[in-house]
Amino acid sequence: METIKNAGQYVSESVQGTGAEASKRANKEVAKDSDASLGNRATAAKDAMGDKMDETSHNTKASTNKEAAKH
């Protein structure tokens, strides 16, 4: 039963990691956009850093759950 739980958590964390990565990429594009206001660019850059931390966290948890599901 624990293996099924770990497999489900792996899928959930993988999806969340992918969502954070997509958000990070979008925010990076806004941060690079010279037509955007300085305030919007700064906010997007800050949000991209937060998204990167979320992405890393979710991917680490997914990897841990994937390994746990194998045993």
Side-chain angles (χ1 to χ4, degrees):
M1 195 64 168
E2 194 68 23
T3 300
I4 293 170
K5 179 181 170 187
N6 288 331
Q9 289 175 335
Y10 163 70
V11 171
S12 175
E13 292 293 345
S14 294
V15 168
Q16 291 178 60
T18 300
E21 180 183 6
S23 180
K24 177 190 74 177
R25 288 182 185 193
N27 280 319
K28 282 176 67 174
E29 288 304 312
V30 172
K32 291 189 229 177
D33 184 1
S34 61
D35 292 332
S37 71
L38 182 59
N40 284 347
R41 292 176 71 185
T43 299
K46 176 189 69 75
D47 290 346
M49 290 188 307
D51 290 336
K52 177 60 179 175
M53 291 186 335
D54 289 344
E55 176 190 7
T56 301
S57 174
H58 289 302
N59 289 344
T60 299
K61 289 177 185 176
S63 180
T64 300
N65 284 308
K66 181 178 180 181
E67 287 303 312
K70 290 181 182 179
H71 302 287

